[in-house]
Every structure is written in C-alpha cells, then in structure tokens.
C-alpha cells in the first residue's frame, strides 16, 4: 500500500500525523535533504513545506510532490 509523507518545519508538519501521514520534521535544509533520501519505496506522495521544497530542489521530481503555500 502506498503512503503519504510530509517533510518540513516541525511546527508546520506535526498535525499531519493525525491523518496517518508519515511525518518527517526537518527544521534545516540539511535535515530536509536527509529526510528526502530516507523515504521508503512505499511513499507515493510527498508534501513539502516551501523551505523543504527549496532544500530538496530538483530531487522533488522523482515522486509526486505537493508544496504547501507559504
């Protein structure tokens, strides 16, 4: 079964846990890149905060991604 993950600042992503989303807090660009590389093959959709999207850069095209509004 495919899952959904969210990467970004802790205060913006924690609430997604209530919806069953895999939450990967990343408060720095390095943490966002590390979280991206740790995504499992079962993750079909990744939600990124704007800062995480900037940190991940071109890697974000490898999966279906959604960027939150600022």
């Amino acid at each position: 079964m495919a899952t959904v993950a969210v990467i970004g600042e802790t205060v913006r992503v924690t609430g997604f846990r209530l919806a069953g989303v895999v939450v990967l807090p990343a408060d720095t660009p390095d943490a966002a890149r590390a979280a991206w590389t740790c995504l499992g093959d079962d993750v079909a959709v990744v939600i990124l905060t704007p800062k995480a999207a900037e940190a991940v850069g071109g890697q974000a095209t490898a999966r279906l991604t959604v960027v939150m509004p600022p």
Side-chain angles (χ1 to χ4, degrees):
M1 179 191 290
T3 59
V4 177
V6 62
I7 301 172
E9 303 83 83
T10 303
V11 297
R12 296 201 65 191
V13 302
T14 303
F16 283 88
R17 193 163 293 158
L18 295 171
V21 174
V22 175
V23 175
L24 301 166
D27 293 315
T28 67
D30 287 336
R33 286 187 287 273
W36 181 267
T37 60
C38 292
L39 291 172
D41 292 335
D42 62 328
V43 176
V45 178
V46 182
I47 303 167
L48 299 166
T49 62
K51 288 182 181 178
E54 185 177 327
V56 171
Q59 296 175 11
T61 60
R63 300 175 192 262
L64 177 60
T65 59
V66 178
V67 179
M68 292 180 197

